[in-house]
Amino acid sequence: MAIKLYVTESMAFMISGNMDRGVQEFQLEAAISKIYGSEAAWSVADECIQLHGGMGYMKSAGLERVLRDLRIFRIFEGTNDILRLFIALTGMQYAGGHLRELQAALKNPLANLGLVVSEGMKRAQRSVGMATAEPLGEHVHPSLRPAADEATKLVTHFGGTVEQLLSKYGKNIIHEQFVLNRIAESAIDMYGTVGVLSRSSRSLTLDLPSAEHEGHLTTVFCKEAAERIERHLSAATSSVGVETDKRLTSISQQTVENEGYVPHHPLEL
């Protein structure tokens, strides 16, 4: 619960700071923060009730009303499901523009040699597991560099996966909602990772009383987020992930056609 709160606060601090500096484009960050914050709040409230046992369900504890009131935040200001599609498709739109630029350059490689060589080097580095994104390690406290280095590799993996998906699906990517959801989940975790690394680095550098504790919160979140990102990105492009998506689509279609649960009751009830 403490980790979820720390990540939520860090996201809010980061986007607020950007807005205060006059940044005009913050729709993606706002969508990410809204999704994570509303779902973290629900999770924390649910866990609080669980910790209180039966008393947590009683009106006198006050938690049941908090849980009920929190539920609407995953619907208000754009449902979290739609915002996930917005995050994935908006990010892919930028990547798609870069790919179109590269395709145009390849038609006349001698006139665009710099771009072609630069892109070729990036792809070669990715193929051998080298990061092509700007290193984050040099911007964080020394104790957090391992987490920052891992985040840099994940950003590179994320970019390569998005390009691979765009090359495979093209404009039809808008119909691949399971894939888009995985991309959005990865983006949310990466934004949270950058947020906590930035905040805890400041605390550690200033030697604040909570610095060590914040370092622990950050390290644990970054590790767990990295595992989730790797899982989502791998599933988005693997044959197993594609097959799973086909099965899920089939299950959904059959349920809708049946207007309800499809399996027969074993006792014929």
Side-chain angles (χ1 to χ4, degrees):
M1 292 190 289
I3 292 175
K4 283 185 170 63
L5 176 57
Y6 188 72
V7 177
T8 301
E9 286 183 341
S10 300
M11 286 183 175
F13 291 149
M14 191 156 61
I15 189 174
S16 298
N18 287 337
M19 294 169 69
D20 289 342
R21 283 193 291 271
V23 175
Q24 298 297 315
E25 298 292 332
F26 50 80
Q27 294 89 340
L28 275 178
E29 292 88 340
I32 288 172
S33 301
K34 189 266 185 182
I35 290 173
Y36 189 89
S38 61
E39 294 182 358
W42 172 268
S43 175
V44 169
D46 180 67
E47 188 66 18
C48 283
I49 291 178
Q50 188 70 22
L51 290 172
H52 281 74
M55 283 300 299
Y57 203 71
M58 299 296 105
K59 186 175 181 179
S60 58
L63 293 172
E64 49 85 26
R65 179 174 181 177
V66 172
L67 189 71
R68 185 172 64 251
D69 290 346
L70 282 173
R71 187 60 184 86
I72 195 61
F73 288 107
R74 289 155 65 188
I75 300 173
F76 274 171
E77 301 299 330
T79 67
N80 288 6
D81 311 276
I82 298 301
L83 288 178
R84 280 184 168 86
L85 295 178
F86 168 74
I87 291 168
L89 290 173
T90 301
M92 284 187 162
Q93 185 178 22
Y94 172 81
H98 174 70
L99 284 178
R100 286 192 296 272
E101 180 184 0
L102 180 60
Q103 288 171 347
L106 288 173
K107 292 179 180 178
N108 190 4
L110 293 179
N112 301 277
L113 191 58
L115 175 60
V116 174
V117 171
S118 175
E119 192 65 27
M121 290 179 64
K122 287 181 181 179
R123 290 166 188 264
Q125 288 175 318
R126 280 205 300 261
S127 69
V128 295
M130 295 176 61
T132 58
E134 179 182 351
L136 298 175
E138 59 191 54
H139 300 293
V140 303
H141 189 270
S143 65
L144 297 174
R145 278 178 185 161
D149 290 341
E150 179 64 23
T152 301
K153 293 178 183 178
L154 290 172
V155 171
T156 299
H157 187 188
F158 180 83
T161 300
V162 169
E163 286 190 8
Q164 186 177 344
L165 291 171
L166 285 173
S167 298
K168 178 180 180 179
Y169 295 108
K171 293 181 179 180
N172 290 325
I173 189 65
I174 63 173
H175 302 301
E176 301 296 329
Q177 293 189 17
F178 289 118
V179 172
L180 294 173
N181 185 69
R182 294 188 182 103
I183 294 300
E185 290 292 348
S186 299
I188 292 168
D189 267 332
M190 283 193 290
Y191 188 70
T193 295
V194 173
V196 295
L197 283 171
S198 174
R199 180 181 177 186
S200 59
S201 287
R202 176 182 180 276
S203 297
L204 288 163
T205 300
L206 297 176
D207 196 24
L208 299 181
S210 62
E212 182 181 3
H213 182 72
E214 291 184 46
H216 292 327
L217 293 172
T218 297
T219 301
V220 173
F221 174 77
C222 288
K223 183 178 184 302
E224 294 180 344
E227 292 173 353
R228 288 192 296 268
I229 293 170
E230 285 284 5
R231 185 170 65 250
H232 284 306
L233 295 180
S234 296
T237 56
S238 70
S239 58
V240 175
V242 172
E243 184 61 31
T244 298
D245 291 348
K246 289 180 179 178
R247 293 181 186 277
L248 287 171
T249 300
S250 176
I251 291 170
S252 301
Q253 292 174 341
Q254 291 172 11
T255 302
V256 171
E257 291 169 0
N258 194 60
E259 297 185 350
Y261 189 56
V262 176
H264 293 285
H265 197 287
L267 299 181
E268 302 296 334
L269 297 176

